[in-house]
Amino acid sequence: MLTIDLRGKVILVTGGGTGLGRAMTETFVKCGAQVVICGRRQEVLEKTASEIGPAVHPIPCDVRSYESVEAMMQRIMAQLGRLDAVVNNAAGNFLAASETLSPKGFRAVVDIVLMGTFHTSRWAGAYWIENSLPGHILNIVTTYTETGCAFVLPSAAAKAGVQALTLSLAYEWAPYNIRVNAIAPGPFPTEGAWSRLMPGQDFEKIYLQRLPTKRYGRPEELGALAAFLLSDLAPYLTGAVIPIDGAEHLQGAMFNYLAQVADRETLKAAFAAMRDATHRS
Ligand code: HXC
Ligand code: NAP
């Protein structure tokens, strides 16, 4: 039987107190890892750690500040003695018409998502290289990093930056045995995301109907993918950006709309009629 074994590993999950970060933390712990979770709200981190168990270590840290990240990393070294992987999951996002955005609002998201990812990656990469240790950086991006996305301009810009960081570092640090990958989740209805990004039930109904699988992602599905990527089962996997979205990001392809406007039997009958009309045997 093949199992995902993370025993002996110390993994840092930024934003690990809530939502998808918490779900990944739960999976990593089930696979045997020690997990450090960070975020700005100490009480949220402590509650999560006490609910999951003693393998979870809460350390408050604001990833926007390099000094705060450095202090957290020193604490990890003092308390746990090692760091094997960093999951850059902390993020900010909200819906806004771009012409109404203030510079401070734009910066609020870019500082968490892009600067935060740089801060942890910079510290961990230098540590692994100086000490000749292998390492892994796993960045949580989105499926709109290639296309951009209306009404979430700061997030689209920042996540595209994180994707570029992922691909740049994967190549640059491959000789040091540091892997750098990204997961691009589709819709997972967490409290943090849905309270800021889902305008109401009417919108949700339309959105769900549009999804090719007609369902949202389940946090444990993301947790399993992340655990696999961080494990010793994937040593040759680096520089990858892996969508986990039930194929939602493919809906722009020219004829994919047909699947949304008619049921399969109706489509097959229409295709057969077109074939009869055009095919010469
Ligand atoms: C317009 C907004 C705003 C909003 C804040 N601002 N919310 N502008 N619409 N809804 C503006 C403020 O007016 C202010 O600018 C500036 O942003 C900073 O606001 P603060 O509240 O002081 O910022 P801060 O405390 O740093 O909070 C950051 C935050 C907040 C991003 C705004 O929402 C947050 O803490 N989020 C963390 C959790 C989160 O967002 N989770 C969702 C991730 S889901 P002015 O100029 O007025 O002073 C995700 C999913 C992606 O990323 C894909 C989905 C499918
Ligand atoms: P979430 O629960 O709101 O998670 C965001 C986390 O980031 C929170 O724990 C928050 O904790 C932390 N955070 C925010 N600012 C921080 C800072 N400055 N320093 C440290 N931590 C900070 O949302 P989620 O849905 O689980 O999102 C997790 C990740 O998945 C994000 O990267 C998001 O972009 C990505 N994603 C989610 C979806 C989705 O559908 N849910 C889709 C695509 C991508 P504090 O507020 O306590 O700091």
mmCIF file of all heavy atoms in Angstrom, residues 23 25 51 54 67 74 78-79 89-90 118 122 124 166 185 206 211 252 258 261 265 273 276-277:
data_model
loop_
_atom_site.group_PDB
_atom_site.id
_atom_site.type_symbol
_atom_site.label_atom_id
_atom_site.label_comp_id
_atom_site.label_asym_id
_atom_site.label_seq_id
_atom_site.Cartn_x
_atom_site.Cartn_y
_atom_site.Cartn_z
ATOM 1 N N ALA A 23 -7.289 23.216 6.585
ATOM 2 C CA ALA A 23 -7.540 21.883 6.008
ATOM 3 C C ALA A 23 -6.221 21.203 5.631
ATOM 4 O O ALA A 23 -6.037 19.999 5.878
ATOM 5 C CB ALA A 23 -8.438 22.013 4.781
ATOM 6 N N THR A 25 -3.351 21.792 6.997
ATOM 7 C CA THR A 25 -2.695 21.471 8.268
ATOM 8 C C THR A 25 -3.220 20.143 8.817
ATOM 9 O O THR A 25 -2.452 19.277 9.250
ATOM 10 C CB THR A 25 -2.935 22.621 9.278
ATOM 11 O OG1 THR A 25 -2.353 23.800 8.740
ATOM 12 C CG2 THR A 25 -2.333 22.323 10.633
ATOM 13 N N GLU A 51 -7.711 22.453 18.670
ATOM 14 C CA GLU A 51 -8.695 21.520 18.093
ATOM 15 C C GLU A 51 -8.020 20.400 17.304
ATOM 16 O O GLU A 51 -8.513 19.277 17.269
ATOM 17 C CB GLU A 51 -9.677 22.291 17.197
ATOM 18 C CG GLU A 51 -10.700 23.069 18.022
ATOM 19 C CD GLU A 51 -11.518 24.079 17.212
ATOM 20 O OE1 GLU A 51 -11.379 24.122 15.972
ATOM 21 O OE2 GLU A 51 -12.283 24.825 17.834
ATOM 22 N N PRO A 54 -1.486 18.374 19.404
ATOM 23 C CA PRO A 54 -0.166 18.906 19.786
ATOM 24 C C PRO A 54 0.852 18.980 18.646
ATOM 25 O O PRO A 54 1.914 19.585 18.825
ATOM 26 C CB PRO A 54 0.312 17.916 20.860
ATOM 27 C CG PRO A 54 -0.510 16.691 20.673
ATOM 28 C CD PRO A 54 -1.803 17.102 20.070
ATOM 29 N N GLU A 67 10.599 41.474 9.100
ATOM 30 C CA GLU A 67 11.080 41.314 10.480
ATOM 31 C C GLU A 67 10.213 40.303 11.224
ATOM 32 O O GLU A 67 10.705 39.464 11.980
ATOM 33 C CB GLU A 67 11.059 42.649 11.237
ATOM 34 C CG GLU A 67 12.097 43.673 10.784
ATOM 35 C CD GLU A 67 11.846 44.212 9.370
ATOM 36 O OE1 GLU A 67 10.667 44.406 9.000
ATOM 37 O OE2 GLU A 67 12.826 44.418 8.624
ATOM 38 N N GLN A 74 13.034 32.202 13.416
ATOM 39 C CA GLN A 74 13.963 31.935 14.545
ATOM 40 C C GLN A 74 13.251 31.096 15.605
ATOM 41 O O GLN A 74 13.839 30.187 16.183
ATOM 42 C CB GLN A 74 14.443 33.242 15.214
ATOM 43 C CG GLN A 74 14.824 34.405 14.307
ATOM 44 C CD GLN A 74 16.201 34.330 13.732
ATOM 45 O OE1 GLN A 74 16.810 33.604 14.099
ATOM 46 N NE2 GLN A 74 16.658 35.073 12.791
ATOM 47 N N ALA A 78 14.246 27.474 17.037
ATOM 48 C CA ALA A 78 14.473 27.257 18.468
ATOM 49 C C ALA A 78 13.563 26.158 19.004
ATOM 50 O O ALA A 78 13.988 25.310 19.802
ATOM 51 C CB ALA A 78 14.245 28.565 19.225
ATOM 52 N N GLN A 79 12.312 26.137 18.566
ATOM 53 C CA GLN A 79 11.336 25.188 19.135
ATOM 54 C C GLN A 79 11.378 23.822 18.472
ATOM 55 O O GLN A 79 11.190 22.795 19.110
ATOM 56 C CB GLN A 79 9.913 25.745 18.980
ATOM 57 C CG GLN A 79 9.571 26.844 19.977
ATOM 58 C CD GLN A 79 8.164 27.403 19.722
ATOM 59 O OE1 GLN A 79 7.314 26.778 19.113
ATOM 60 N NE2 GLN A 79 7.927 28.609 20.193
ATOM 61 N N ASN A 89 0.093 30.308 1.888
ATOM 62 C CA ASN A 89 -1.365 30.226 1.724
ATOM 63 C C ASN A 89 -2.068 31.507 2.189
ATOM 64 O O ASN A 89 -3.192 31.780 1.769
ATOM 65 C CB ASN A 89 -1.844 28.999 2.532
ATOM 66 C CG ASN A 89 -3.319 28.998 2.784
ATOM 67 O OD1 ASN A 89 -4.108 28.598 1.939
ATOM 68 N ND2 ASN A 89 -3.733 29.460 3.982
ATOM 69 N N ALA A 90 -1.410 32.306 3.035
ATOM 70 C CA ALA A 90 -2.047 33.529 3.549
ATOM 71 C C ALA A 90 -2.416 34.438 2.376
ATOM 72 O O ALA A 90 -1.655 34.572 1.418
ATOM 73 C CB ALA A 90 -1.094 34.272 4.484
ATOM 74 N N PHE A 118 7.157 36.362 -0.936
ATOM 75 C CA PHE A 118 8.594 36.623 -1.103
ATOM 76 C C PHE A 118 9.322 36.529 0.239
ATOM 77 O O PHE A 118 10.391 35.909 0.336
ATOM 78 C CB PHE A 118 8.844 38.006 -1.722
ATOM 79 C CG PHE A 118 10.292 38.402 -1.660
ATOM 80 C CD1 PHE A 118 11.226 37.770 -2.471
ATOM 81 C CD2 PHE A 118 10.733 39.348 -0.743
ATOM 82 C CE1 PHE A 118 12.590 38.097 -2.388
ATOM 83 C CE2 PHE A 118 12.088 39.671 -0.660
ATOM 84 C CZ PHE A 118 13.010 39.053 -1.473
ATOM 85 N N ARG A 122 12.229 33.896 0.680
ATOM 86 C CA ARG A 122 13.589 34.454 0.777
ATOM 87 C C ARG A 122 14.309 33.891 1.997
ATOM 88 O O ARG A 122 15.459 33.479 1.917
ATOM 89 C CB ARG A 122 13.483 35.983 0.846
ATOM 90 C CG ARG A 122 14.690 36.736 1.339
ATOM 91 C CD ARG A 122 15.853 36.710 0.359
ATOM 92 N NE ARG A 122 16.986 37.478 0.852
ATOM 93 C CZ ARG A 122 17.858 37.052 1.773
ATOM 94 N NH1 ARG A 122 17.739 35.844 2.312
ATOM 95 N NH2 ARG A 122 18.860 37.828 2.142
ATOM 96 N N ALA A 124 13.533 31.135 3.865
ATOM 97 C CA ALA A 124 13.697 29.678 3.839
ATOM 98 C C ALA A 124 14.719 29.251 2.782
ATOM 99 O O ALA A 124 15.571 28.392 3.040
ATOM 100 C CB ALA A 124 12.348 29.009 3.570
ATOM 101 N N THR A 166 7.035 31.502 -8.441
ATOM 102 C CA THR A 166 7.097 30.034 -8.377
ATOM 103 C C THR A 166 7.981 29.488 -9.499
ATOM 104 O O THR A 166 8.896 28.684 -9.267
ATOM 105 C CB THR A 166 5.669 29.445 -8.544
ATOM 106 O OG1 THR A 166 4.815 30.020 -7.553
ATOM 107 C CG2 THR A 166 5.663 27.932 -8.412
ATOM 108 N N PRO A 185 -6.303 26.574 -6.720
ATOM 109 C CA PRO A 185 -7.639 26.054 -6.410
ATOM 110 C C PRO A 185 -8.714 26.788 -7.198
ATOM 111 O O PRO A 185 -8.613 27.982 -7.466
ATOM 112 C CB PRO A 185 -7.816 26.338 -4.910
ATOM 113 C CG PRO A 185 -6.490 26.819 -4.410
ATOM 114 C CD PRO A 185 -5.757 27.357 -5.603
ATOM 115 N N ILE A 206 -26.294 30.653 -9.841
ATOM 116 C CA ILE A 206 -25.813 30.761 -11.219
ATOM 117 C C ILE A 206 -24.395 30.194 -11.318
ATOM 118 O O ILE A 206 -24.052 29.450 -12.241
ATOM 119 C CB ILE A 206 -25.804 32.236 -11.695
ATOM 120 C CG1 ILE A 206 -27.211 32.810 -11.661
ATOM 121 C CG2 ILE A 206 -25.180 32.379 -13.076
ATOM 122 C CD1 ILE A 206 -27.281 34.321 -11.754
ATOM 123 N N LEU A 211 -20.490 25.423 -13.136
ATOM 124 C CA LEU A 211 -19.339 24.545 -12.887
ATOM 125 C C LEU A 211 -19.540 23.210 -13.593
ATOM 126 O O LEU A 211 -20.608 22.602 -13.453
ATOM 127 C CB LEU A 211 -19.162 24.300 -11.382
ATOM 128 C CG LEU A 211 -18.878 25.530 -10.533
ATOM 129 C CD1 LEU A 211 -18.824 25.157 -9.051
ATOM 130 C CD2 LEU A 211 -17.571 26.193 -10.947
ATOM 131 N N GLY A 252 -13.618 28.461 -21.035
ATOM 132 C CA GLY A 252 -13.545 29.430 -22.124
ATOM 133 C C GLY A 252 -13.323 28.795 -23.489
ATOM 134 O O GLY A 252 -13.502 29.469 -24.506
ATOM 135 N N LEU A 258 -21.404 24.535 -25.190
ATOM 136 C CA LEU A 258 -22.506 23.631 -25.559
ATOM 137 C C LEU A 258 -22.960 22.799 -24.363
ATOM 138 O O LEU A 258 -24.150 22.544 -24.189
ATOM 139 C CB LEU A 258 -22.053 22.704 -26.701
ATOM 140 C CG LEU A 258 -21.885 23.367 -28.074
ATOM 141 C CD1 LEU A 258 -21.204 22.407 -29.045
ATOM 142 C CD2 LEU A 258 -23.245 23.811 -28.609
ATOM 143 N N VAL A 261 -25.614 24.708 -22.391
ATOM 144 C CA VAL A 261 -26.880 25.193 -22.939
ATOM 145 C C VAL A 261 -27.865 24.073 -23.266
ATOM 146 O O VAL A 261 -29.039 24.343 -23.514
ATOM 147 C CB VAL A 261 -26.667 26.093 -24.190
ATOM 148 C CG1 VAL A 261 -25.917 27.349 -23.816
ATOM 149 C CG2 VAL A 261 -25.943 25.341 -25.303
ATOM 150 N N GLU A 265 -28.258 14.321 -24.348
ATOM 151 C CA GLU A 265 -29.056 13.629 -25.368
ATOM 152 C C GLU A 265 -29.468 14.614 -26.472
ATOM 153 O O GLU A 265 -29.417 14.285 -27.657
ATOM 154 C CB GLU A 265 -30.292 12.967 -24.731
ATOM 155 C CG GLU A 265 -29.938 11.795 -23.809
ATOM 156 C CD GLU A 265 -28.923 10.830 -24.427
ATOM 157 O OE1 GLU A 265 -29.114 10.417 -25.593
ATOM 158 O OE2 GLU A 265 -27.905 10.516 -23.769
ATOM 159 N N ALA A 273 -27.844 14.818 -36.453
ATOM 160 C CA ALA A 273 -28.549 15.468 -37.564
ATOM 161 C C ALA A 273 -27.557 16.243 -38.444
ATOM 162 O O ALA A 273 -27.637 16.206 -39.675
ATOM 163 C CB ALA A 273 -29.624 16.409 -37.015
ATOM 164 N N ASP A 276 -25.640 13.708 -40.533
ATOM 165 C CA ASP A 276 -26.448 13.206 -41.654
ATOM 166 C C ASP A 276 -26.507 14.234 -42.781
ATOM 167 O O ASP A 276 -26.510 13.900 -43.962
ATOM 168 C CB ASP A 276 -27.874 12.883 -41.182
ATOM 169 C CG ASP A 276 -27.886 11.656 -40.277
ATOM 170 O OD1 ASP A 276 -26.851 10.948 -40.249
ATOM 171 O OD2 ASP A 276 -28.897 11.440 -39.579
ATOM 172 N N ALA A 277 -26.560 15.507 -42.378
ATOM 173 C CA ALA A 277 -26.691 16.558 -43.383
ATOM 174 C C ALA A 277 -25.387 16.837 -44.122
ATOM 175 O O ALA A 277 -25.391 17.314 -45.253
ATOM 176 C CB ALA A 277 -27.184 17.840 -42.715
#
